[in-house]
Amino acid sequence: MAEQADIGVTRLAVMGRNLARNFARHGHTVALHNRTEARTQALMAEFGGEGNFVPTESAQQFVASLARPRRLMVMVKAGAPTDTVIDEFAPLLEPGDMIVDGGNAHFADTRRREAALRDRGLHFVGTGVPGGEERALHGPSIMPGGSAEAYASLGPLLEDISAKVDDEPCCTHIGPDGAGHFVKMVHNGIEYADMQLIAEAYDLLRRALGMTPARIAEVFRTWNQGRLESYLIEITAEVLGHTDAATGKPFVDVVLDQAEQKGTGRWTVQTALDLGIPVSGIAEAVFARSLSGHADLRDASQGLPGPAGRSLGGSAAESFTDDVEQALYASKIVAYAQGVHQIQAGSQEYGWGIDPGAVAKIWRGGCIIRARFLNRITETYSGTDQPVTLLTAPYFREALQAAQDAWRRVVSSAAELGLPAPGFSAALAYYDALRSPRLPAALIQGQRDFFGAHTYRRTDRDGAFHTLWGGDRTEQSA
Ligand code: 6PG
């Protein structure tokens, strides 16, 4: 075949189709392939004029149409279909060629696939491509893993089609093998936490102050002019301001209140548990979705007693909206601090060398958690003097200091009114636990030693110790 395509996209469902169009719109020649040819033809009929496409009819023709080293992008639902496509194409490729997986794969699968293909001389690049179909076409944030050698060949193309903020591409080489998918996973975990915190803010304004969804939409619109400016706050105002055409009611009141999840938030928490990283904000968000779906449990609990007071009045009500903004901002800082901690831990565990500042930078555009405040995270990690936790970086420390009184009022009002705010409460508890010079973990160590002789360490000398609890209570070196 005469035409040598810069990149090929196989599987042309909406994500694949839009990425292919995005490459073509940026002047790249794109080979197209799909299991059923009809989709390839439909793309050509509708969008063929957008750029240079090379439609192909078979896997062999597709591979032959690609310039070397071949860059072959796979857009399938994560899981077994990814392995099927790899099995289909790997035998047709030659050393130095690369398969790029843009699905939401688990990073452990990406590590496995990368290792297997590396053994065959092929590159495998697992990359996060967030933002859905709209961003796939108009510029997503892109989080590629895989080898530096693969990035040298593939990176310029990905950077071309990525979102741009301040003229900088929202795409960078995250690190080897599964690093890209790991970071995409944590992105989704933070997305869960952010959404939960926003939902709690809405619920508190509604139930503590009796505000209507339309009025709360205005509040979110105002917040979106300030430091909370972000895609999620923006769309929250849209959803809350929407009226259901069939009933004339606020849309949010006709939607079943059971949140679903495809699983990436759960993966984030499972992985954090394995790494021993406390991502309590993300965990509470996953559990809140899970709780919402337990209809039987919730039905059975409707008669449980709550507090007498049901809404705020007087001066507390007046300042409550501002307090909620402060609590939301502070809790959001904690969620990101926990996410960054997990990325650092993953990077250390797997030797990825991930730069959290670079990650925050490419999240500023083209993804669901894009937000103004990410600039601050990038700034934090761009200097040499990097904090152990985001919370102690000067900007965040000051923001937390300014917010903390309001944050505490919101959490205590929620508890007094009987309104669940697991995200706000968990974030505050994390903050206070980190601040505490001493934690009751010392007592837990004592209990463990009492019932299981699990031993403890002392504050005043090295070594492990055990007290003879059942005997004369003398202490032994263990
Ligand atoms: C993205 C999102 C996406 C996620 C969906 C739904 O960046 O485009 O993170 O990857 O899968 O938003 O996720 P849940 O069904 O788990 O809410």
Side-chain angles (χ1 to χ4, degrees):
M1 183 171 301
E3 193 101 45
Q4 289 286 287
D6 303 316
I7 190 155
V9 180
T10 181
R11 305 310 192 254
L12 301 171
V14 64
M15 284 295 288
R17 186 182 65 183
N18 283 359
L19 281 171
R21 291 174 60 200
N22 192 348
F23 281 118
R25 285 170 167 205
H26 280 85
H28 300 291
T29 301
V30 187
L32 302 173
H33 175 260
N34 197 62
R35 246 179 335 178
T36 51
E37 231 188 295
R39 272 213 170 127
T40 314
Q41 286 161 0
L43 194 161
M44 287 306 291
E46 220 176 323
F47 307 109
E50 287 186 342
N52 246 352
F53 293 106
V54 184
T56 66
E57 292 168 10
S58 68
Q60 286 77 4
Q61 201 189 359
F62 178 57
V63 167
S65 74
L66 296 170
R68 302 244 16 235
R70 298 184 180 92
R71 293 171 284 230
L72 188 159
M73 185 141 193
V74 181
M75 289 307 297
V76 289
K77 196 170 167 340
T82 312
D83 290 310
T84 306
V85 179
I86 292 173
D87 291 345
E88 181 182 358
F89 286 100
L92 305 175
L93 297 176
E94 294 170 84
D97 290 350
M98 66 201 74
I99 296 180
V100 186
D101 171 20
N104 255 340
H106 193 290
F107 75 95
D109 285 335
T110 303
R111 282 169 58 76
R112 167 178 61 76
R113 289 168 182 145
E114 198 272 341
L117 289 180
R118 191 167 0 108
D119 283 350
R120 299 162 73 165
L122 301 175
H123 297 288
F124 183 73
V125 178
T127 180
V129 185
E133 57 187 88
E134 197 264 335
R135 283 292 106 199
L137 183 60
H138 298 293
S141 168
I142 307 182
M143 308 164 213
S147 69
E149 192 189 337
Y151 192 81
S153 158
L154 180 70
L157 278 89
L158 296 181
E159 290 177 17
D160 267 359
I161 66 155
S162 73
K164 309 286 179 307
V165 175
D166 299 337
D167 290 331
E168 290 177 296
C170 292
C171 171
T172 192
H173 183 219
I174 302 289
D177 60 77
H181 275 143
F182 186 93
V183 162
K184 174 60 168 63
M185 175 189 76
V186 176
H187 161 284
N188 281 28
I190 293 174
E191 171 185 309
Y192 274 54
D194 217 340
M195 291 167 75
Q196 174 64 23
L197 294 169
I198 290 171
E200 289 176 21
Y202 148 74
D203 198 37
L204 288 170
L205 294 180
R206 185 139 194 210
R207 294 208 274 166
L209 295 184
M211 286 166 86
T212 62
R215 174 76 193 97
I216 301 170
E218 283 172 34
V219 170
F220 275 99
R221 253 176 227 121
T222 313
W223 288 352
N224 202 39
Q225 309 294 315
R227 60 190 181 167
L228 278 170
E229 182 191 322
S230 60
Y231 174 71
L232 283 171
I233 295 278
E234 180 191 327
I235 65 163
T236 300
E238 294 298 318
V239 174
L240 287 174
H242 182 58
T243 303
D244 174 50
T247 60
K249 291 183 182 166
F251 167 78
V252 74
D253 286 348
V254 299
V255 176
L256 191 68
D257 59 347
Q258 296 181 17
E260 300 190 7
Q261 49 185 314
K262 292 203 202 76
T264 46
R266 189 170 57 237
W267 287 350
T268 312
V269 178
Q270 286 168 337
T271 306
L273 290 172
D274 289 340
L275 290 167
I277 303 303
V279 292
S280 47
I282 301 170
E284 286 297 347
V286 174
F287 284 136
R289 286 198 194 188
S290 158
L291 185 151
S292 77
H294 281 278
D296 292 358
L297 189 63
R298 291 174 60 193
D299 279 350
S301 307
Q302 289 306 303
L304 289 174
R310 305 203 113 171
S311 62
L312 286 177
S315 61
E318 271 169 37
S319 52
F320 193 68
T321 307
D322 289 339
D323 281 359
V324 172
E325 194 268 349
Q326 301 269 13
L328 180 52
Y329 195 60
S331 303
K332 184 176 160 124
I333 292 171
V334 167
Y336 280 74
Q338 294 180 346
V340 167
H341 189 195
Q342 180 165 0
I343 288 172
Q344 289 173 318
S347 179
Q348 188 158 8
E349 172 77 15
Y350 299 105
W352 286 328
I354 300 176
D355 169 6
V359 170
K361 195 168 181 179
I362 65 161
W363 286 350
R364 291 180 307 161
C367 68
I368 306 292
I369 63 171
R370 59 185 183 263
R372 181 202 282 198
F373 119 125
L374 287 160
N375 274 322
R376 300 294 188 169
I377 301 183
T378 304
E379 276 163 31
T380 300
Y381 292 101
S382 56
T384 42
D385 190 16
Q386 302 205 350
V388 175
T389 165
L390 193 63
L391 304 187
T392 60
Y395 170 81
F396 293 105
R397 187 196 157 86
E398 274 167 40
L400 291 165
Q401 154 125 34
Q404 67 151 332
D405 289 343
W407 194 10
R408 294 181 195 288
R409 282 194 295 273
V410 168
V411 170
S412 55
S413 294
E416 279 169 19
L417 296 172
L419 302 176
F424 286 170
S425 317
L428 183 57
Y430 177 87
Y431 175 74
D432 283 333
L434 287 189
R435 284 186 328 101
S436 296
R438 292 277 296 161
L439 288 170
L443 175 59
I444 292 171
Q445 283 298 79
Q447 293 164 332
R448 293 177 69 246
D449 191 58
F450 189 104
F451 64 64
H454 293 297
T455 76
Y456 51 88
R457 284 175 293 145
R458 294 182 57 100
T459 57
D460 52 1
R461 39 184 209 275
D462 287 343
F465 300 92
H466 168 57
T467 290
L468 297 172
W469 296 102
D472 64 0
R473 303 208 166 179
T474 53
E475 187 175 72
Q476 300 179 327
S477 273

